[in-house]
Amino acid sequence: MKNLPFAEPEKKPLYLPMQKVWFDEIETGKKKEEYREGTNHYKSRFFKSDKNGNPIAIRNYSTVLLQEGYNPGARRMLIEVNSIQYDGDFTIFLGAIIERLNFDRSSAPKRKPSSKPRQPGEARKKAKTTIEKMLSRRLKRSRRT
């Protein structure tokens, strides 16, 4: 693909969820690039296209918001983007960390404790099969009449 010009600067940061392993490496400074495949999904996020879907420019992101996983209380980092390169796959060259969000785990959403915690070795209730569900419904109906 020929070299495409950069579009006007984007107002919003590029949002990228990622695995904990890579998130931690970027946070410690070991990893300075993030890679994304050249799939249609990422092409739509990185390229500005004409009406026919042909790329006309690379989106000019100044920041990227990296998130560890998908849960609502996940750790996040806002990082400068030095440049974005496309050669079949996308390479995002990362700069300095601007802000760390949700690193203090005290504000993370907590799971509700169970009213009756399981004891070690105690089996969970076995899920009913479809046939067992149908039979139990018929049994309930027959008891009503």
Side-chain angles (χ1 to χ4, degrees):
M1 179 175 281
K2 64 180 181 176
N3 289 338
L4 294 173
F6 280 97
E8 65 279 352
E10 295 286 326
K11 293 178 183 175
K12 292 184 177 182
L14 172 63
Y15 171 75
L16 296 175
M18 59 181 17
Q19 294 178 351
K20 181 183 185 326
V21 176
W22 310 123
F23 186 90
D24 290 340
E25 282 195 12
I26 291 170
E27 203 252 328
T28 58
K30 290 180 185 176
K31 188 173 186 229
K32 295 289 186 182
E33 305 94 26
E34 176 59 21
Y35 304 98
R36 297 294 157 141
E37 291 181 358
T39 61
N40 288 337
H41 171 74
Y42 286 112
K43 285 179 182 177
S44 71
R45 296 179 75 192
F46 285 103
F47 289 141
K48 284 204 179 267
S49 302
D50 60 9
K51 292 179 182 177
N52 299 327
N54 299 323
I56 55 174
I58 297 176
R59 292 182 186 261
N60 191 3
Y61 289 104
S62 59
T63 57
V64 62
L65 182 64
L66 300 179
Q67 180 172 314
E68 177 189 16
Y70 286 97
N71 63 3
R75 297 185 304 159
R76 295 175 167 196
M77 287 187 293
L78 187 64
I79 301 178
E80 290 178 341
V81 173
N82 290 338
S83 66
I84 298 173
Q85 193 175 39
Y86 178 73
D87 57 354
D89 291 331
F90 294 97
T91 306
I92 303 118
F93 294 95
L94 304 172
I97 297 173
I98 299 169
E99 186 178 5
R100 289 175 171 87
L101 305 162
N102 297 334
F103 274 71
D104 176 20
R105 302 310 292 166
S106 65
S107 63
K110 304 281 191 279
R111 289 182 59 193
K112 294 178 184 174
S114 174
S115 59
K116 182 186 168 208
R118 281 190 312 139
Q119 298 299 317
E122 181 183 342
R124 290 182 177 215
K125 187 175 179 181
K126 185 179 174 187
K128 291 184 178 181
T129 63
T130 306
I131 294 172
E132 290 172 332
K133 289 177 187 176
M134 288 174 42
L135 291 174
S136 68
R137 288 180 190 149
R138 287 182 184 168
L139 184 61
K140 285 180 185 176
R141 283 189 208 138
S142 65
R143 288 182 184 165
R144 284 190 228 157
T145 57

